[in-house]
């Protein structure tokens, strides 16, 4: 099995790994996949060579390392699990999601590969279809997801249905407004509240966890169209078939989320367990950093980017963006975000829609 050194290098925790090496941890000992810690360090860019040598010292991952990208016909399921999920390596799977309208009539598989019933009639990932099938879905809308959970004043969140959110998004030539906006909290010395009248307004984001009890309409849409349901098996793309593609691993979706936002909305730098993110419409820009460089922030990515190189760089988490791998996600692309990897996203088009699932 894996040693502490294997876990340290898998998560790019260079200081911990070097401490273990100084304490005589063996970098050549294989794990259950037959890979040594030195092998894994080499894959993660912590070591120039996979050969174990006396006095081995690992180096920090290079800033802005590229995220590998494949189409599903270039990768089989076993390769995805063994080389990415097991090694906690992010990957961008191009056009891994195929809308049902574009699937052949002979295909009985779901948009992500599993056997599923037929989809909703005349459904597409558009505001019109969402209003027909999930208009009453509700979220606490703010300029970042789960704002109050991240310590922001509760007044920054507004309870809205999806219908209300989309109506507001369409007002004033696409400028989103907040109906029934609550009064702002006052910022009092020593209160720890950083929300003030000078806080910049950013585009609000409809971002909500989905389960059949709290969001029955959205849960039905995601289950029917994607085969995605909380507590159910994780639907994976239809990877290339090969003799070695069979895998004993089966994953469960522990948390399912849905989001829709205008251009300029987004999520700050954060991290969580293994997840897949499926872009259904629009376009997203990602910033991704390994666990050793990750941060949990409530600063909108546009504000963090403006602070890069300033005196507030570190306080606002902007240093994460300086070292991040940056890439764009197009409709149909699926991103695998490994456990504890820091990431922030910015929506680049109106009605950018995505579904995501954390899994174990």
């Amino acid at each position: 099995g894996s040693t502490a050194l294997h876990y340290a290098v898998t998560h790019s925790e260079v200081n911990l790994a070097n401490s273990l090496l100084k304490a005589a941890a063996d970098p050549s000992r294989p794990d259950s996949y037959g890979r040594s810690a030195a092998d894994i360090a080499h894959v993660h860019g912590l070591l120039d060579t996979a050969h174990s040598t006396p006095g081995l010292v690992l180096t920090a991952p290079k800033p802005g390392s590229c995220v590998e990208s494949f189409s599903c016909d270039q990768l089989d399921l076993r390769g995805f699990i063994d080389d990415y999920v097991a090694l906690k390596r992010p990957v961008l799977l191009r056009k891994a999601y195929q809308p049902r309208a574009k699937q052949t009539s002979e295909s009985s598989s779901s948009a992500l590969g599993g056997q599923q019933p037929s989809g909703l009639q005349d459904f597409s990932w558009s505001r019109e279809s969402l209003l027909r099938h999930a208009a009453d879905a509700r979220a606490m809308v703010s300029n970042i997801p789960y704002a109050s959970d991240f310590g922001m004043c509760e007044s920054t969140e507004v309870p809205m249905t999806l219908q209300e959110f989309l109506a507001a998004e369409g007002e004033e030539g696409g400028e989103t407004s907040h109906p029934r906006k609550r009064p702002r909290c006052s910022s009092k010395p020593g209160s720890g509240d950083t929300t003030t009248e000078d806080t910049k307004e950013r585009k609000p984001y409809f971002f909500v966890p989905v389960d059949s009890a709290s969001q029955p309409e959205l849960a039905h849409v995601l289950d029917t169209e994607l085969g995605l349901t909380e507590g159910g098996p994780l639907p994976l793309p239809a990877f290339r078939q090969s003799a070695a593609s069979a895998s004993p691993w089966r994953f469960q979706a522990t948390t399912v989320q849905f989001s829709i936002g205008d251009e300029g909305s987004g999520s700050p730098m954060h991290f969580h367990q293994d997840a897949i993110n499926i872009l259904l419409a629009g376009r997203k820009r990602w910033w991704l950093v390994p666990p050793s460089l990750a941060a949990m922030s409530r600063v909108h990515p546009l504000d963090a980017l403006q602070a890069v190189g300033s005196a507030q760089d570190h306080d606002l988490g902007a240093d994460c963006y300086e070292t991040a791998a940056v890439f764009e996600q197009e409709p149909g692309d699926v991103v695998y975000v490994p456990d504890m990897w820091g990431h922030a996203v910015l929506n680049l088009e109106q009605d950018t829609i995505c579904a995501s699932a954390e899994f174990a």
Side-chain angles (χ1 to χ4, degrees):
S2 297
T3 65
L5 184 58
H6 281 98
Y7 284 109
V9 295
T10 296
H11 288 88
S12 299
E13 293 287 355
V14 173
N15 292 337
L16 175 59
N18 282 329
S19 295
L20 291 168
L21 288 168
K22 287 180 181 179
D26 183 1
S28 63
R29 177 175 170 176
D31 62 8
S32 54
Y33 289 89
R35 292 184 285 225
S36 70
D39 295 330
I40 298 171
H42 179 57
V43 167
H44 281 278
L46 313 179
L47 194 62
D48 289 335
T49 174
H51 298 298
S52 300
T53 58
L56 185 68
V57 176
L58 305 183
T59 57
K62 296 177 181 178
S65 299
C66 292
V67 172
E68 292 188 318
S69 172
F70 297 97
S71 62
C72 285
D73 60 2
Q74 296 176 294
L75 190 67
D76 63 21
L77 176 60
R78 190 63 181 256
F80 170 67
I81 293 174
D82 290 359
D83 295 337
Y84 294 93
V85 179
L87 288 178
K88 305 304 177 193
R89 296 169 63 201
V91 65
L92 173 62
L93 301 170
R94 294 289 188 189
K95 307 302 178 187
Y97 165 74
Q98 184 181 16
R100 289 185 183 277
K102 294 184 179 180
Q103 293 184 58
T104 62
S105 58
E106 292 81 10
S107 173
S108 61
S109 64
S110 78
L112 284 174
Q115 295 294 324
Q116 295 293 332
S118 18
L120 300 168
Q121 186 174 6
D122 299 324
F123 184 85
S124 64
W125 293 105
S126 65
R127 60 169 51 212
E128 294 77 17
S129 283
L130 288 171
L131 285 173
R132 284 199 306 272
H133 294 280
D136 294 331
R138 300 188 67 85
M140 296 300 292
V141 174
S142 184
N143 62 5
I144 67 169
Y146 310 123
S148 61
D149 291 345
F150 279 85
M152 295 184 71
C153 175
E154 289 185 1
S155 72
T156 63
E157 294 183 318
V158 180
M160 300 177 74
T161 65
L162 182 57
Q163 183 173 18
E164 290 170 335
F165 176 80
L166 293 177
E169 193 179 42
E171 291 176 0
E172 300 178 16
E175 290 297 319
T176 308
S177 61
H178 273 300
R180 306 191 309 277
K181 189 158 181 87
R182 302 175 180 178
R184 282 193 178 277
C185 294
S186 60
S187 183
K188 299 177 181 178
S191 67
D193 177 25
T194 58
T195 304
T196 70
E197 293 295 339
D198 296 326
T199 299
K200 291 183 179 178
E201 287 289 344
R202 293 298 183 187
K203 294 290 184 71
Y205 203 6
F206 189 98
F207 196 107
V208 65
V210 178
D211 61 69
S212 58
S214 64
Q215 302 285 350
E217 292 181 329
L218 279 176
H220 179 63
V221 169
L222 296 185
D223 184 19
T224 305
E225 292 299 309
L226 300 175
L228 186 59
T229 180
E230 184 184 61
L234 183 74
L236 291 171
F239 291 103
R240 183 191 72 213
Q241 295 296 311
S242 72
S245 64
S247 172
W249 291 97
R250 296 294 181 269
F251 300 110
Q252 181 183 54
T254 57
T255 302
V256 173
Q257 298 172 113
F258 169 86
S259 67
I260 179 169
D262 202 352
E263 177 185 2
S265 58
S267 299
M269 192 65 67
H270 64 290
F271 53 86
H272 44 63
Q273 70 183 91
D274 283 319
I276 59 168
N277 183 289
I278 310 159
L279 189 61
L280 303 165
R283 196 159 49 97
K284 282 180 179 285
R285 179 170 297 139
W286 287 72
W287 291 264
L288 199 61
V289 296
S292 58
L293 302 175
M296 191 68 80
S297 173
R298 58 187 181 189
V299 178
H300 191 282
L302 291 176
D303 295 328
L305 289 168
Q306 287 181 358
V308 169
S310 72
Q312 293 180 298
D313 187 307
H314 180 71
D315 292 340
L316 294 180
D319 46 354
C320 290
Y321 293 80
E322 295 178 85
T323 57
V326 184
F327 62 93
E328 290 188 5
Q329 184 183 17
E330 303 284 346
D333 293 352
V334 176
V335 179
Y336 163 59
V337 184
D339 179 50
M340 302 301 287
W341 274 67
H343 54 287
V345 298
L346 182 68
N347 296 326
L348 301 178
E349 294 181 2
Q350 186 178 18
D351 295 342
T352 294
I353 304 170
C354 85
S356 62
E358 296 176 26
F359 65 89

